């Protein structure tokens, strides 16, 4: 497939459990982003990976959230000890490396809808 | 800190009408601006990307303009159709090379028959 792929599409978990969300970016895209969209809210930036550079983790809401990107491709967002307020749609995006003056188009996956019960 | 605002929050128009969606941002030092649409329960679909050096971009019935100095962008939709009903989001990138996008809260558009 040519697009950004996320799995699972839906996840229901019990409060206190850990969850892992996966993102497969478009092949060749060096930048990868995770966003969160809570019901009725805008998109909240979580974390950004660019090539081999240290990730920008400034948006992670707590130390229960972490993400890694292996081999510069697939990324996993992990939420430990889930809470009900973690319920949201988690969106992943990727784009090609731009230049110092231009950014390229960002493409989003369909998201993972996480429900914590 | 960059803040992006979209007005109106919701809009309902009859089919066939031309319409304009607005996006404003507080820090004009952007590298580009991108418009997306989001259908209910779905991810984001990219519509148009405008680099900071450009004034407008067109794709089919869509035309996006950018006035970087005043911190504004508009998305013009011509001859609206029911299939255009969705939430439209604008996002700005503050840094070159792929820095994060800052999103507005969106305009929910409904095109009625």
């Amino acid at each position: 497939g040519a697009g950004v792929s996320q799995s699972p599409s839906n996840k229901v978990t019990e409060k206190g459990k850990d969850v892992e969300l996966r993102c497969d970016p478009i092949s060749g895209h060096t930048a990868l982003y995770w966003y969160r969209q809570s019901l009725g809210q805008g998109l909240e930036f979580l974390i950004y990976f660019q090539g081999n550079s240290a990730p920008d983790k400034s948006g992670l809401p707590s130390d229960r959230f972490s993400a890694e990107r292996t081999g510069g491709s697939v990324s996993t967002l992990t939420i430990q000890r889930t809470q009900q307020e973690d319920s949201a749609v988690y969106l992943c995006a990727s784009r090609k490396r731009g230049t110092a003056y231009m950014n390229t188009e960002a493409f989003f996956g369909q998201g993972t809808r996480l429900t914590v019960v | 800190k960059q803040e992006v605002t979209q007005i109106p929050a919701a809009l309902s128009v009859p089919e066939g009408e031309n319409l304009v969606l607005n996006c404003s941002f507080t820090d004009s030092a952007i590298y580009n601006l991108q418009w997306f649409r989001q259908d209910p329960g779905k991810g984001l679909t990219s519509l148009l990307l405008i680099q900071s050096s450009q004034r407008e971009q067109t794709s089919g019935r869509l035309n996006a303009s950018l006035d970087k100095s005043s911190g504004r962008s508009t998305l013009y939709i011509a001859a609206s159709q029911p299939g255009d009903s969705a939430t439209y989001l604008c996002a700005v990138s503050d840094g070159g090379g792929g820095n994060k996008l800052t999103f507005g809260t969106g305009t929910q558009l409904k095109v009625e028959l």
Side-chain angles (χ1 to χ4, degrees):
Chain A
V4 177
S5 178
Q6 292 187 246
S7 60
S9 55
N10 282 284
K11 176 73 176 178
V12 180
T13 190
E14 291 181 353
K15 179 180 172 181
K17 296 283 179 84
D18 298 351
V19 295
E20 286 189 350
L21 311 180
R22 178 186 169 104
C23 173
D24 280 274
I26 293 172
S27 178
H29 283 196
T30 57
L32 186 147
Y33 307 79
W34 283 98
Y35 284 82
R36 177 169 72 173
Q37 189 174 35
S38 302
L39 188 63
Q41 302 295 311
L43 272 81
E44 175 189 5
F45 168 75
L46 297 177
I47 188 169
Y48 155 60
F49 297 89
Q50 174 60 280
N52 295 321
S53 302
D56 177 354
K57 303 180 182 180
S58 60
L60 294 178
S62 77
D63 59 7
R64 296 186 296 105
F65 287 72
S66 63
E68 62 177 24
R69 189 177 184 192
T70 55
S73 180
V74 171
S75 177
T76 302
L77 177 69
T78 301
I79 309 173
Q80 295 179 311
R81 305 182 301 282
T82 51
Q83 302 295 313
Q84 288 187 326
E85 61 262 30
D86 299 333
S87 296
V89 176
Y90 290 80
L91 292 160
C92 175
S94 72
R95 60 181 175 188
K96 291 180 184 177
R97 178 183 291 276
T99 69
Y101 305 101
M102 289 173 61
N103 275 325
T104 58
E105 193 173 5
F107 295 90
F108 278 77
Q110 292 299 298
T112 293
R113 181 175 297 277
L114 175 66
T115 303
V116 181
V117 297
Chain B
K1 178 186 172 186
Q2 178 73 270
E3 292 182 3
V4 182
T5 305
Q6 291 187 246
I7 295 173
L11 180 64
S12 183
V13 299
E15 182 180 12
E17 193 161 296
N18 302 325
L19 59 102
V20 174
L21 308 181
N22 297 290
C23 172
S24 61
F25 44 95
T26 54
D27 185 349
S28 62
I30 65 168
Y31 276 71
N32 65 14
L33 183 146
Q34 195 167 351
W35 282 94
F36 297 87
R37 70 174 278 170
Q38 185 175 31
D39 294 281
K42 303 289 187 181
L44 277 66
T45 300
S46 177
L47 298 174
L48 289 163
L49 171 71
I50 311 179
Q51 301 294 346
S52 62
S53 58
Q54 297 174 325
R55 299 280 299 186
E56 66 178 320
Q57 282 286 337
T58 298
S59 176
R61 293 182 294 108
L62 305 180
N63 177 279
S65 68
L66 175 63
D67 184 343
K68 185 180 163 184
S69 60
S70 67
R72 288 189 291 189
S73 176
T74 62
L75 179 67
Y76 175 83
I77 303 176
S80 58
Q81 303 171 358
D84 295 331
S85 299
T87 296
Y88 289 80
L89 296 154
C90 68
V92 299
S93 291
D94 292 329
N99 281 356
K100 68 185 182 189
L101 299 102
T102 302
F103 280 84
T105 49
T107 294
Q108 190 171 14
L109 172 66
K110 183 175 181 180
V111 180
E112 298 175 318
L113 290 168

